[in-house]
Structures are given as structure tokens and as C-alpha cells.
Amino acid sequence: MIHTDPQVRGADPRVAGGRLTVDLDALATNYRFLAEQSTPAEAGAVVKADAYGLGTGPVVEALVAEGCRKFFVALPEEGLAVRASAPEADIYVFNGLFSPEAASFYREGRLLPVLNSQSDLAIWEAHGWDDGDTPRPCALHVETGMNRLGLSADRANVLAQENALTGALTPRLILSHLACADTPTHPMNQQQLESFQALRALFPDAESSLANSAGIFLGGEFLCDVTRPGVALYGSNPLSDGLNPMRTVVRVHARIAQLRHVPAGGTVSYGATPLNRDTLVAVTATGYADGYHRSGSGAGVPLRNVLQEGACGFIEGQRVPVLGRITMDLTLFDVTDLGPDALQIGDFIELVGPNIPVDDLASASGTISYELLTALGHRFERHYIHSGDGA
Ligand SMILES: *Cc1c(COP(=O)(O)O)cnc(C)c1O
């Protein structure tokens, strides 16, 4: 179902199971704040994965209006989507080239690849586009500790020597990525900064970039020339401890499909969770297929916090806990304390928003805001609003 109203996208509001609202003014306020915190560096914006699930077009347009001139995505097709809304911007693609065929996407969108490996370097030298007299503009990712993407220190040294002779590539940006930016006292941060400073010095004509959202708050030398905030733009707290300085950008609401009384001793959902009191249950049309997670992580990785409580929604001024297991399309909430007549079928329960911070829902679900945001509400109606907040 397609809508003609440009402010509403996604599912038809008359029948959608839920609603995802993106406050573009709050996004703009967050960009301005991060740009200020980044000074004297320039703040770019990371809009990979459809702007963390919120919609590339509206997000990029709002950021361009705030003066953002550098965008970062993961994949070439995401870069083309950004280009449609940012005709003049520099658009960097983190994941590199994969194959020679990828180069045509870069040419079409005037996208700048982030070269991560020997293979990327060779493909870009052979198939890259030229910007006027500037051959093969690109970014270089140098490895400093993540061991995910990036050129080794040895490879970067060889490249610097070779390229000084041949001029085959024009590195515009040298970047690396912090593994522990959200833990300011972690020794990795300083180690990575020092490794990065040594490598970026090999390419004196390029700008440098190290800090993601949390990295911006490490300040000082971590800022380099360009910062790369992502998740904080969308309202998640970039500070490991302390009040969230970001505005709420995302609101998610689930529609109540049914209200039912279950007497004490009855059970709910898969696995038959028993109820120990007479309970008024709100059955909402949202589930893990809408990104309301049922999650787990890899063995040996210390992510499995023991969860004391599950997630909560919010309605009529009160928090209402999830009851029993979240299922694919439906989630049950305990709304007993609101009284028997407070709610009706068709009312909406807030799942994320001013009363349920995205980070709180993430930790209640055993995950992080990034995973929540990128999964949320793909079956929902979507609204893009200007709240007037800070505008
Ligand atoms: C995703 C990503 C970012 C943005 O990180 P946030 O923590 O969301 O601010 C920055 N740099 C790289 C290389 C990334 O992959």
C-alpha cells in the first residue's frame, strides 16, 4: 500500500499493527549538538542500514539542511540512496569494493570507497573514477585494533611509498574505528589513537577520522579532522554513564488488537507463563517480526546479562510490563493497574519514546540500541514530523 502523503510511509495507517514516528527536528538538534562537541573537527553523519532503520531520504535531507557535507554508509546501494538526497555531499562507503563490478556503482553515484584491503586497492586503481584532475579519490581504512576491516600498518606503509611515486590513488580521508569508545577508561582507546596517528602521518594531504558517537566524547585528539557519529544522532546515549544529552528521535507505538481478562492461575503465550493475579491483558499487534526482540548472542561473549525484568510499554501515564513470551506478530502487556475501562481496542501502547528510552528497551531485551533501531517497525506505518523541538 503506497501513500501519497509524503509524511506517511510504510504500511497503511488504517490497518498497520504499529506506528514508527521520526522527529526530524530532534534529529537536527542532535546533529547540531554533536557538531558542536566535534569542534574543531567537522561532523559527518553515519546513515548506513537505511539511517539505522529510520529512512535514508528524510534523515539525509534533514542533515543536509543542517550543513552536513559528509555521509558514511556500509554498501554502494545505500550510497546511491544518499546521493538522491545529497547531490553535493561526499559519500563514503565503509565496506569497500568486493569486486570490479562494484566500481560502476561508485561511478554512477560519485561515491567514495573506503579501501580496506590489497584487493580493494587493486580494484580501485584499475576501475576507479577520476574527479577532474584528481585520480581515483577514496578513503583508506587503517587497522588499529578492531581486526574487522582495514589495511595493516605494513600495507599502509608500502602504499604510502608507492602512491607517492605513482599518484594512482588520491586518499582524501584516512580512517580507523575504535573498539572501546563507549568505555572511556579502556586502554585500547589510547593505543588505537597512537597507532592511528602514526599511520595517518603517512598521508599528510588527507583528512583523518577516528571518532564514532562515543568517540566524540573522548574529545581532544580523538576528534581528528572529521567525526563519524551514527547512533547518537538517532537519540541513543553516547555516554556510558550519565544522563543522555541527546533528544528522543524515535517513537514506536503498537496497536491494541484485543483486551482480555485472564483469571489468576491462567496462563499466557507460548510456554504457558502462569499469572498469579486476575489480569487484564492488552494484546498488541507487534512482535519480533517488527523488531520487538527475542534475542541471543555468541558463545563466550559476555553479553548475556541475566535479565531481572522484561520490557515495558507505556500508556495512560503508566509503565505496563510485557507478559509472557513475545511472539512473531503479537505481544501481551499487563494493563490491570490501569483499571477495567481505561483502554479500548485500537489504542496505542508506547514501546519506545520519551517514556521508554531506546537504550532501556535494548537492555531489557539483552541487546543494544543499534540492533533495536535497525530492526524496528518495518511493517509499521511511518511518520516523519517536525516537532519544533529546538528548531
Ligand atoms: C557504524 C560506524 C560508525 C558510527 O558508529 P556509532 O557508534 O553509531 O556512532 C562509525 N564508523 C564506522 C566505521 C562504523 O562502522
Side-chain angles (χ1 to χ4, degrees):
M1 276 162 269
I2 305 295
H3 300 286
T4 47
D5 178 353
Q7 294 304 310
V8 183
R9 304 185 181 197
D12 189 311
R14 291 170 296 180
V15 291
R19 184 163 71 200
L20 189 146
T21 308
V22 179
D23 182 339
L24 295 172
D25 288 339
L27 173 80
T29 303
N30 286 345
Y31 177 75
R32 284 198 296 274
F33 176 68
L34 292 165
E36 204 176 283
Q37 296 296 306
S38 297
T39 314
E42 172 186 353
V46 180
V47 293
K48 61 195 180 190
D50 197 27
Y52 289 49
L54 304 187
T56 300
V59 165
V60 169
E61 281 164 33
L63 293 172
V64 166
E66 289 305 316
C68 184
R69 293 288 171 265
K70 289 188 168 66
F71 291 93
F72 297 87
V73 294
L75 295 163
E77 287 182 306
E78 295 174 351
L80 295 179
V82 173
R83 179 57 79 211
S85 300
E88 306 298 332
D90 291 341
I91 301 171
Y92 289 99
V93 181
F94 285 137
N95 283 7
L97 283 147
F98 306 139
S99 71
E101 290 86 72
S104 63
F105 290 79
Y106 286 84
R107 178 167 296 121
E108 177 188 339
R110 287 173 293 117
L111 308 176
L112 299 160
V114 177
L115 305 180
N116 296 300
S117 64
Q118 178 58 36
S119 153
D120 281 352
L121 293 169
I123 293 172
W124 197 241
E125 278 193 29
H127 303 283
W129 53 274
D130 296 340
D131 187 8
D133 295 339
T134 305
R136 286 26 166 192
C138 59
L140 302 175
H141 187 150
V142 292
E143 157 54 28
T144 58
M146 275 290 272
N147 280 306
R148 198 172 62 166
L149 293 174
L151 302 169
S152 68
D154 287 350
R155 190 67 198 86
N157 271 284
V158 171
L159 173 67
Q161 285 166 23
E162 285 174 0
N163 205 52
L165 297 175
T166 65
L169 300 173
T170 308
R172 288 197 172 154
L173 187 69
I174 310 300
L175 67 90
S176 195
H177 194 45
L178 294 167
C180 303
D182 55 359
T183 311
T185 55
H186 202 294
M188 269 304 272
N189 292 319
Q190 196 60 33
Q191 284 169 27
Q192 286 193 272
L193 176 63
E194 285 165 23
S195 306
F196 182 63
Q197 283 171 331
L199 293 169
R200 72 91 54 234
L202 298 171
F203 304 93
D205 296 334
E207 294 189 305
S208 61
S209 176
L210 186 58
N212 66 339
S213 298
I216 292 171
F217 296 87
L218 299 174
E221 293 181 294
F222 286 92
L223 298 172
C224 301
D225 298 316
V226 178
T227 61
R228 307 191 306 270
V231 80
L233 288 169
Y234 311 111
S236 177
N237 192 352
L239 305 174
S240 52
D241 42 16
L243 279 182
N244 188 357
M246 312 315 299
R247 301 287 174 91
T248 299
V249 173
V250 187
R251 287 176 237 163
V252 180
H253 289 87
R255 192 193 286 268
I256 297 175
Q258 189 169 4
L259 288 157
R260 69 188 313 137
H261 290 277
V262 183
T267 64
V268 289
S269 195
Y270 292 117
T273 302
L275 300 179
N276 58 14
R277 64 168 180 172
D278 293 346
T279 303
L280 179 59
V281 178
V283 181
T284 60
T286 191
Y288 56 76
D290 303 293
Y292 207 58
H293 281 289
R294 205 179 183 279
S295 51
S297 285
V301 177
L303 298 176
R304 292 171 191 270
N305 298 336
V306 176
L307 304 179
Q308 304 300 330
E309 290 177 50
C312 275
F314 191 90
I315 189 165
E316 294 285 325
Q318 286 195 38
R319 288 165 72 86
V320 290
V322 170
L323 271 181
R325 293 189 194 166
I326 292 170
T327 71
M328 185 184 289
D329 312 301
L330 297 163
T331 298
L332 314 184
F333 290 87
D334 181 350
V335 297
T336 315
D337 293 344
L338 296 179
D341 303 316
L343 303 180
Q344 296 179 19
I345 289 173
D347 286 351
F348 284 89
I349 294 184
E350 176 184 321
L351 306 183
V352 171
N355 303 294
I356 308 284
V358 64
D359 298 303
D360 289 5
L361 176 59
S363 61
S365 317
T367 183
I368 53 175
S369 54
Y370 302 70
E371 189 181 20
L372 258 197
L373 287 172
T374 52
L376 267 177
H378 296 300
R379 296 193 295 190
F380 289 175
E381 60 178 290
R382 291 186 165 224
H383 296 256
Y384 293 91
I385 61 161
H386 293 274
S387 62
D389 174 14

